[in-house]
Structure formats: structure tokens, C-alpha cells
Amino acid sequence: DIQMTQSPSSLSASVGDRVTITCRASQSITISLNWYQQKPGKAPNLLIYAASSLQTGVPSRFSGSGSGTDFTLTISSLQPEDFATYYCQQSYSTPWTFGQGTKVEIK
Amino acid sequence: EVQLVESGGGLVQPGGSLRLSCAASGFTFSTYNMHWVRQAPGKGLEWLSYISSSSSTIYYVDSVKGRFTISRDNAKNSLYLQMNSLRDEDTAVYYCARGGVNYCLDFWGQGTLVTVSS
């Protein structure tokens, strides 16, 4: 199985900050990497698919990059509604696997 | 508007069975692949199972293989997860999700809680 490792596991940031979350795969997954946002008590919401494609309706302050084994989710200017947990997921091979999550908290 | 509504969760004893359902609306269900994903209390997301639009291709994670069965009824716009031989560690919120581009999960239901306990 492909292991997905996110860093950091949690971070504290202020509104307006630029935030970067990284995700590393245990083997190359080309660009088969997706990012989700989950707020407490809610279902996950797709932000980015295929490493860098923005899902319809997602604000442009979210962006994704990377290929192979190393990927990044960037929030260019953190907004109050962005405080949540973020997960990466590889869709290169089954079983599809998620990272352990990165919790973005208010500083 | 795309909607996925799970049902069928509840309290079940270890070794018991439960059947989850996911009712889809707002899109042409029969043309989309579907997934089940779960989340144990306070934990991360775990992908469980996939079924293609025509049911011709099915995958499972090893931890549920042989115990869980995914199925769908395109005439009823419904997805199912039959769960047998349930264990304490199967306690989680279970989500159905629509398969999108490049096997992403582009829409999710609100989830249904399954509690396995004696």
C-alpha cells in the first residue's frame, strides 16, 4: 500500500497568513493526488484534484502543486472559514489512501 | 444540486451485521463510480471500497475484504454497504462519496454513525 505522510500534523496561523501543507507519498504517484478540507462534524470537501486542479466553487486562494512523491497545498491568505483539518489522498493505486491530516488552528 | 444521504447506521454487537444505504440525487447516478469511506472517532479518513458505474469493477481495502460487500442499484439511485462480522474497530462514521476525475471523491454525504459495542 502507498503511505501518505502529511506535515505538519498541526499548525497555528493568523488570518491573512500564507499557509503551506506538504504531503509525501511512499512511492511515485505521478499527479494522482487530491486535497480535502474537513470542518468539525462535517463531511470532507474536495479542494484540489490531480495535484493542481481547483475544484469548481473553491476559492482561488487555495492552490496545489507537485508531482511524483512530493506535493503542497497552499492557502495564500488564510480566512476565518479556512480553519479546519486538511487531508491529502492518493488515487494512483488501490487501496486509495489518505494522509493523517493537518489541523489548521487559529493563532 | 448533488445530494448523497446515508442511512442505516446504529448500534450493533460485535459479530453482528448492518446494511448501509446511500441515496443519490441531483446527478445521473448510473454514470458515476462510487466509494465508501469511514472515519473512526477523532481519527483520520480511511477509504473502504469502490464500485464502478456498472458494478463491473469493485475494490476493497484489506481490513474489510471478505466482511463488507459494496453494491448499487442504478434504478433506485442507491449505493449499499453490507457489513458482516463487525468488530469494535469498525466503529466510525461511514460516508458515501461520488467518484470524480482521476478517482478523486468529489461529493460526500453527511455520514452515518456505526457503533459496534456489546
Side-chain angles (χ1 to χ4, degrees):
Chain A
D1 298 1
I2 298 174
Q3 307 303 316
M4 306 301 294
T5 304
Q6 289 181 231
S7 60
S9 295
S10 65
L11 64 90
S12 295
S14 301
V15 172
D17 284 354
R18 182 181 182 89
V19 169
T20 298
I21 298 169
T22 63
C23 179
R24 175 163 288 175
S26 59
Q27 66 181 73
S28 176
I29 58 171
T30 64
I31 60 165
S32 298
L33 191 283
N34 311 301
W35 289 99
Y36 304 86
Q37 176 194 67
Q38 187 179 33
K39 298 181 180 179
K42 300 295 186 182
N45 182 49
L46 177 67
L47 299 175
I48 302 284
Y49 63 93
S52 61
S53 295
L54 192 67
Q55 172 69 348
T56 302
V58 174
S60 59
R61 62 180 179 273
F62 291 93
S63 63
S65 65
S67 66
T69 60
D70 294 313
F71 302 86
T72 298
L73 173 70
T74 299
I75 309 171
S76 60
S77 177
L78 198 66
Q79 298 302 299
E81 60 268 31
D82 300 337
F83 292 95
T85 300
Y86 294 83
Y87 293 92
C88 63
Q89 175 238 341
Q90 65 83 14
S91 54
Y92 181 77
S93 67
T94 60
W96 292 298
T97 45
F98 291 87
Q100 81 279 13
T102 295
K103 187 173 184 179
V104 177
E105 298 175 303
I106 302 172
K107 182 183 283 185
Chain B
E1 178 193 5
V2 172
Q3 282 203 319
L4 296 169
V5 179
E6 301 93 338
S7 61
L11 176 63
V12 60
Q13 291 188 336
S17 298
L18 216 51
R19 188 195 196 206
L20 305 183
S21 299
C22 172
S25 61
F27 64 102
T28 306
F29 179 73
S30 61
T31 65
Y32 282 86
N33 306 322
M34 298 294 294
H35 300 257
W36 285 100
V37 177
R38 71 183 176 186
Q39 186 169 37
K43 302 298 184 182
L45 301 168
E46 180 184 24
W47 173 84
L48 296 180
S49 186
Y50 161 94
I51 186 168
S52 63
S53 58
S54 65
S55 303
S56 60
T57 301
I58 287 175
Y59 300 119
Y60 299 98
V61 69
D62 281 352
S63 60
V64 306
K65 204 173 291 183
R67 299 190 300 126
F68 291 10
T69 302
I70 192 172
S71 63
R72 64 190 296 161
D73 186 334
N74 287 342
K76 295 183 178 179
N77 291 335
S78 292
L79 174 72
Y80 306 102
L81 187 68
Q82 177 67 43
M83 305 187 296
N84 299 331
S85 303
L86 283 162
R87 306 166 179 166
D88 290 350
E89 56 264 34
D90 294 319
T91 294
V93 174
Y94 286 71
Y95 296 100
C96 66
R98 192 179 80 169
V101 172
N102 201 41
Y103 296 108
C104 69
L105 285 66
D106 65 359
F107 284 97
W108 299 58
Q110 85 290 349
T112 187
L113 176 63
V114 172
T115 303
V116 184
S117 175
S118 54

